[in-house]
Amino acid sequence: MTLTSGPAQARHLATAIPGPRSLELMARKEHAVARGVGTTMPVFAVRAGGGVVEDVDGNVLIDLGSGIAVTTVGVSAPRVVDAVRGQLDAFTHTCFMVTPYEGYVAVAEQLNRLTPGTHEKRSVLFNSGAEAVENAVKIARAFTGRQAVVAFDHAYHGRTNLTMAMTAKSMPYKQGFGPFAAEVYRAPLSYPFRDRADGPAAARRAIDVIEKQVGRPAAVVIEPIQGEGGFIVPAPGFLPELAAWCRANDVVFIADEVQTGFARTGALFASEHEGIVPDLLVSAKGIADGLPLSAVTGRADIMDAAHTGGLGGTYGGNPLACAAALATIETIEAEGLLERARAIEELMKDRLCRLQEKDDRIGDVRGRGAMLAVELVRPGTTEPDPELARAVAAAAHAQGVIVLTCGTYGNVLRFLPPLAISDELLNDALDVLAEGFRA
Ligand SMILES: *Cc1c(COP(=O)(O)O)cnc(C)c1O
């Protein structure tokens, strides 16, 4: 089965970007949609498939964003479309808490099988990443009888009240939206490009802050590779040391794998790269190829600490989303997408490192699998250069390449291509980026 559906797989500029029809729609958006919802590109989509998005003006854009790491197996992947169509004909909703259905149980079984560790596990399903993170914290509190939660510098965990408190960056996520949830504490991260510390040293620094300023929390919550915070890969040894401290102190170790999960980094979950086994693992984004679904999976004794009726939600584990998740997992396994993610890493890192050799504004090239980034700085320093990141992204957008920025300092260009993208499209996009750096 092919991974590609929809438009022809080549970049094509039919108009300037944005084109006239997108501009009309942007004007309607401004009058109809709250301005709090921003857009990376003022371009309206009509079709997408493989590694491209086609807009209302007939432009075909190369997708290096996957709708923020969601359409990892390829947008509207054929197996997903078939599975969701079949479920649509059967039923759209009954509410799992009223009359349950097999799809939910099957997704839970798959998550219990696929997440790190061979211990007895349970899963529970929700709608969004933030909702799942909140529930992981609820479960850890119920299990430990403690309240404090430790999150890290540069963390991103969502936009709801508790997850805003856990998210580090004020603007745009938190400013003006407080007061925030109580009992959330922040520890220093391992950020090799900036702190130059090895993993165990960075872990000791974090553990010292936790022991001295918090004591014994209910949970430590961390992204194994930070997403919005700048695609920061902690130094080797940092995560294992932290997980070991949690185990020794009966603190629940929660991996937020919302962005890193589901084959994105060349492993099914990024925890595997460091050999850690989280007590609870949160997944969302890539789990169901764009249908809203999220999950908490973990140790049966911890998961079952929440009383019956204490977890759930009207839509959580919607049957269409469950059908999509099962087809997404089947696609990853049948199409060898873990290998594909590693091949994308090799191709892109090689080209990005060659760019870096000639350009001292590229301070760091990092990431794993199809979750890669460059951190941009003023030449010869580590001083962030967000203007350059914005300018290169704008140049890429004008040439029909969807690329996102991120990072606490806004100076990181991040690349999250769908694994269904061709090498030709990747190379074309990298040519466009190289030209953007020259201009
Ligand atoms: C996107 C993201 C979230 C929030 O997910 P939503 O579905 O937007 O609520 C949480 N954690 C991480 C690491 C994310 O990347």
Side-chain angles (χ1 to χ4, degrees):
M1 188 177 280
T2 166
L3 278 168
T4 314
S5 55
Q9 297 295 302
R11 185 167 60 100
H12 174 70
L13 297 184
T15 67
I17 292 189
R21 300 196 56 202
S22 276
L23 285 171
E24 273 172 41
L25 285 163
M26 276 309 282
R28 273 173 62 192
K29 170 189 175 281
E30 269 153 38
H31 283 96
V33 179
R35 107 190 139 102
V37 186
T39 56
T40 302
M41 288 181 71
V43 158
F44 280 73
V46 283
R47 282 202 302 168
V52 299
V53 175
E54 185 178 338
D55 78 4
V56 284
D57 292 289
N59 299 299
V60 179
L61 317 175
I62 300 178
D63 184 9
L64 297 187
S66 299
I68 319 189
V70 169
T71 56
T72 304
V73 299
V75 60
S76 296
R79 284 182 184 80
V80 174
V81 171
D82 285 349
V84 174
R85 276 211 183 105
Q87 182 59 46
L88 198 49
D89 287 336
F91 60 96
T92 54
H93 177 83
T94 61
C95 188
F96 190 74
M97 302 183 302
V98 178
T99 51
Y101 37 87
E102 184 178 350
Y104 188 121
V105 177
V107 171
E109 287 168 348
Q110 291 286 16
L111 288 165
N112 297 347
R113 174 176 76 87
L114 294 168
T115 49
T118 52
H119 51 286
E120 179 87 8
K121 293 177 210 159
R122 301 281 185 270
S123 287
V124 54
L125 306 182
F126 303 100
N127 303 289
S128 71
E131 193 188 0
V133 171
E134 292 232 0
N135 277 279
V137 171
K138 275 167 67 174
I139 293 164
R141 285 175 171 164
F143 178 71
T144 59
R146 288 173 245 133
Q147 297 181 347
V149 176
V150 173
F152 285 80
D153 288 333
H154 312 287
Y156 182 85
H157 297 291
R159 296 172 181 271
T160 56
N161 189 260
L162 174 58
T163 58
M164 262 196 299
M166 295 166 67
T167 290
K169 194 174 177 179
S170 174
M171 198 55 189
Y173 306 122
K174 304 170 74 164
Q175 196 151 303
F177 298 144
F180 304 111
E183 289 304 316
V184 174
Y185 300 87
R186 198 162 305 286
L189 186 75
S190 163
Y191 192 159
F193 176 63
R194 297 199 166 273
D195 66 15
R196 304 281 164 198
D198 67 22
R204 278 194 298 278
R205 187 177 58 197
I207 290 164
D208 191 54
V209 167
I210 298 170
E211 287 179 338
K212 296 294 181 296
Q213 299 181 25
V214 190
R216 199 150 67 112
V220 165
V221 186
I222 191 162
E223 302 155 80
I225 299 173
Q226 279 192 327
E228 309 300 301
F231 280 31
I232 304 162
V233 186
F238 177 75
L239 292 171
E241 198 97 349
L242 207 58
W245 181 85
C246 287
R247 182 143 312 122
N249 291 278
D250 286 323
V251 171
V252 179
F253 183 87
I254 303 175
D256 178 348
E257 292 239 23
V258 169
Q259 191 154 165
T260 50
F262 278 87
R264 175 53 58 189
T265 68
L268 210 43
F269 295 97
S271 294
E272 296 168 36
H273 297 295
E274 284 275 317
I276 56 169
V277 178
D279 296 317
L280 301 182
L281 184 149
V282 182
S283 34
K285 291 200 165 96
I287 190 174
D289 200 25
L291 275 83
L293 188 71
S294 63
V296 181
T297 302
R299 271 168 50 187
D301 56 334
I302 300 177
M303 293 294 293
D304 284 337
H307 52 267
T308 300
L311 304 177
T314 306
Y315 298 122
N318 167 272
L320 300 172
C322 286
L326 294 171
T328 295
I329 293 164
E330 197 188 311
T331 302
I332 291 169
E333 291 180 340
E335 305 286 343
L337 292 185
L338 300 179
E339 293 73 30
R340 179 62 190 144
R342 292 195 283 265
I344 288 173
E345 173 177 348
E346 203 169 308
L347 184 158
M348 290 193 73
K349 259 197 183 157
D350 177 58
R351 290 208 48 183
L352 293 169
C353 287
R354 276 191 280 144
L355 264 183
Q356 184 189 27
E357 279 165 24
K358 296 176 301 194
D359 194 333
D360 56 4
R361 299 170 301 172
I362 302 179
D364 197 20
V365 176
R366 61 177 178 247
R368 289 189 197 274
M371 182 174 181
L372 302 170
V374 291
E375 176 157 359
L376 306 183
V377 292
R378 305 211 191 278
T381 72
T382 56
E383 199 188 319
D385 192 346
E387 292 79 23
L388 179 63
R390 266 196 297 276
V392 175
H397 294 167
Q399 291 304 311
V401 175
I402 303 171
V403 58
L404 311 175
T405 59
C406 68
T408 296
Y409 313 104
N411 65 326
V412 176
L413 287 173
R414 60 168 152 172
F415 311 112
L416 292 160
L419 303 180
I421 199 169
S422 68
D423 285 356
E424 291 71 29
L425 284 173
L426 283 176
N427 277 312
D428 186 20
L430 286 158
D431 290 342
V432 167
L433 282 167
E435 186 52 42
F437 275 105
R438 270 194 295 277

